[in-house]
Amino acid sequence: LATTCRTHSRDDMLAHVGATAVAVVGMPQALNHGEAGPANCGWRGAQLVLFDMHKVGPAPRFRDVSGLLDAVSDPEIGAVSWERATSIYLDEYRRLGGFPITDGQFIEDVAVLKRHNAYGILSWLTNSSLEDAEEGPRGRSVQRAWLQSAIISLLGEGNQGEW
């Protein structure tokens, strides 16, 4: 990643990874699904049902929603903008008695969590075998797409001169 980025040195990037981890560790904790997303949701009549509950546990309070906001605002999946999805979420969060947070702090926390997740997926993908015979070509292309998405996410922010 550091060799691809034109605006930040390797040391700057390592410092940013460390600062991101420190910020995440300092965030308030809440019960999270761990892998919340459209693939792990379904409906039983009018009731929303979550699947793959094996990773439920304490995590930074907006860990799950940081990825869900992107999923529901993805033009191929959702029908609302990221801003609208955020507004809907915060309205419900507040209505249901969530701990107070400003819109700006929420957006900042979500950005930090997204970067932290991107760093994590880079590590996971780097350590997983892209040539695993059991995965086949489709599995490798999915892993490469995730890897590319994480790199673009991080380089996009870094190349704008902002973290």
Side-chain angles (χ1 to χ4, degrees):
L1 184 61
T3 60
T4 309
C5 184
R6 297 183 188 119
T7 58
H8 298 287
S9 71
R10 179 181 181 274
D11 290 341
D12 288 344
M13 294 191 96
L14 288 173
H16 186 256
V17 171
T20 299
V22 167
V24 170
V25 168
M27 290 179 173
Q29 301 281 298
L31 186 64
N32 276 255
H33 179 274
E35 290 186 341
N40 286 330
C41 298
W43 294 95
R44 180 179 299 138
Q47 184 179 20
L48 178 66
V49 179
L50 297 175
F51 307 117
D52 281 347
M53 302 296 285
H54 64 284
K55 290 191 176 180
V56 169
R61 65 179 164 177
F62 301 121
R63 161 88 61 209
D64 281 345
V65 77
S66 67
L68 282 173
L69 288 172
D70 287 340
V72 299
S73 62
D74 181 335
E76 293 183 23
I77 298 172
V80 298
S81 68
W82 191 90
E83 292 78 12
R84 181 68 183 128
T86 299
S87 176
I88 291 168
Y89 175 79
L90 283 173
D91 287 349
E92 287 301 299
Y93 176 81
R94 290 174 179 134
R95 185 181 70 79
L96 295 170
F99 288 103
I101 188 166
T102 65
D103 290 7
Q105 185 61 54
F106 173 79
I107 290 167
E108 184 178 323
D109 284 1
V110 165
V112 169
L113 288 165
K114 286 170 62 174
R115 282 194 305 271
H116 189 259
N117 185 53
Y119 287 132
I121 200 117
L122 283 174
S123 174
W124 179 78
L125 288 170
T126 300
N127 291 322
S128 70
S129 170
L130 293 176
E131 302 302 324
D132 187 344
E134 292 182 28
E135 290 289 329
R138 168 131 170 70
R140 286 192 300 276
S141 69
V142 167
Q143 287 185 329
R144 286 187 184 110
W146 286 349
L147 181 59
Q148 182 180 18
S149 173
I151 290 171
I152 288 170
S153 171
L154 293 170
L155 288 179
E157 291 183 56
N159 285 333
Q160 292 172 11
E162 300 174 12
W163 292 105

